[in-house]
């Protein structure tokens, strides 16, 4: 339930991966930035905890080499604009199995190295082109099991690297060629 940077101080300089899944960590604990001394950390697993909010103080600001971030099975309801602002090295972001109903259009801005986003099993009702516009290397986008009703024709515009889109079990009434044609050159 409590997480202190002092726990990692003796080996923080060499720590590459940290798995803290299945605990009772909260957003209050993350707001204390307990990973600030873990400068080499590339993988952080905070899945299956009690995180409800990732505030603008961004618990991940001081982890410059973070590539894999697992936040699935928490209690997140929204993702704000600056949540991942300083996570420029992120390659994989798993936010599945939460209660996310809203993602700010700038939430993933600047994440140019991001290759995979998993937002499945949430409560999203809409997505648009602005949500992923900065994700130039995005290859896999999982939006399965949400409440998405409509896709704009330009939703996947500018995602030239995109290979896989998962949209199963949503509330889509129409999907046609215009949603994908000429926009996702790598789509399988």
């Amino acid at each position: 339930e409590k997480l202190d940077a002092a726990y990692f101080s003796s080996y923080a300089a060499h720590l590459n991966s940290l798995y803290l899944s299945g605990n009772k960590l909260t957003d209050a604990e993350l707001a204390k930035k307990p990973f600030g001394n873990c400068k080499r950390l590339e993988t952080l697993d905070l899945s299956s905890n009690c995180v409800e909010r990732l505030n603008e103080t961004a618990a991940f600001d001081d982890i410059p080499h973070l590539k894999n971030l697992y936040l699935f099975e928490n209690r997140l309801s929204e993702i704000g604009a600056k949540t991942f602002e300083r996570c420029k090295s992120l390659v994989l972001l798993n936010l599945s199995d939460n209660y996310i109903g809203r993602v700010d259009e700038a939430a993933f801005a600047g994440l140019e190295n991001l290759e995979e986003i998993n937002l499945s099993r949430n409560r999203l009702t809409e997505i648009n082109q602005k949500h992923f516009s900065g994700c130039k290397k995005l290859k896999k986008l999982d939006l399965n099991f949400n409440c998405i009703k409509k896709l704009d024709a330009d939703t996947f515009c500018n995602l030239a690297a995109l290979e896989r889109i998962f949209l199963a079990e949503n509330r889509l009434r129409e999907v046609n060629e215009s949603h994908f044609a000429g926009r996702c050159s790598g789509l399988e």
Side-chain angles (χ1 to χ4, degrees):
E1 292 180 27
K2 298 244 183 229
L3 193 61
D4 191 331
Y7 294 144
F8 311 114
S9 61
S10 61
Y11 48 87
H14 305 288
L15 196 61
N16 179 284
S17 300
L18 181 57
Y19 299 90
L20 292 166
S21 63
N23 286 289
K24 295 182 179 181
L25 300 175
T26 65
D27 32 300
E29 291 302 313
L30 296 183
K32 296 175 187 175
K33 299 187 178 187
F35 315 112
N37 294 325
C38 303
K39 301 297 183 193
R40 290 188 174 191
L41 195 63
E42 291 184 5
T43 299
L44 179 58
D45 186 347
L46 294 169
S47 60
S48 302
N49 275 287
C50 300
V51 180
E52 294 181 9
R53 182 173 291 126
L54 296 173
N55 61 23
E56 304 302 320
T57 60
F60 318 110
D61 279 2
D62 299 325
I63 314 173
H65 302 290
L66 187 62
K67 292 181 180 176
N68 305 300
L69 180 56
Y70 300 94
L71 287 160
F72 61 90
E73 293 180 358
N74 273 284
R75 299 175 185 169
L76 298 170
S77 60
E78 68 178 89
I79 304 297
K82 297 181 181 181
T83 304
F84 305 109
E85 183 177 49
R86 296 185 61 196
C87 299
K88 304 291 185 193
S89 298
L90 267 185
V91 173
L92 181 147
L93 178 58
N94 190 331
L95 296 164
S96 66
D97 290 290
N98 278 285
Y99 304 101
I100 301 169
R102 184 184 158 301
V103 176
D104 189 279
E105 290 179 345
F108 308 122
L111 299 182
E112 295 178 5
N113 292 307
L114 198 59
E115 294 181 9
E116 181 177 339
I117 300 175
N118 189 338
L119 281 161
S120 66
R121 299 185 184 281
N122 278 291
R123 296 178 179 171
L124 295 172
T125 57
E126 64 179 317
I127 56 161
N128 63 51
Q129 182 263 340
K130 293 177 185 173
H131 283 110
F132 311 108
S133 62
C135 304
K136 304 295 182 197
K137 295 182 181 178
L138 190 63
K139 293 180 181 179
K140 180 180 175 186
L141 177 58
D142 192 340
L143 296 165
N144 283 340
F145 295 95
N146 275 286
C147 303
I148 301 167
K149 296 177 183 177
K150 179 184 172 208
L151 294 175
D152 294 333
D154 66 350
T155 299
F156 305 112
C157 177
N158 300 324
L159 296 177
L162 198 59
E163 295 174 355
R164 295 183 175 146
I165 304 172
F166 298 89
L167 289 163
E169 300 296 331
N170 275 284
R171 296 183 180 159
L172 295 169
R173 293 185 182 262
E174 177 185 26
V175 176
N176 59 54
E177 188 178 315
S178 69
H179 292 112
F180 311 102
R183 291 174 173 80
C184 310
S185 57
L187 203 58
E188 291 179 356

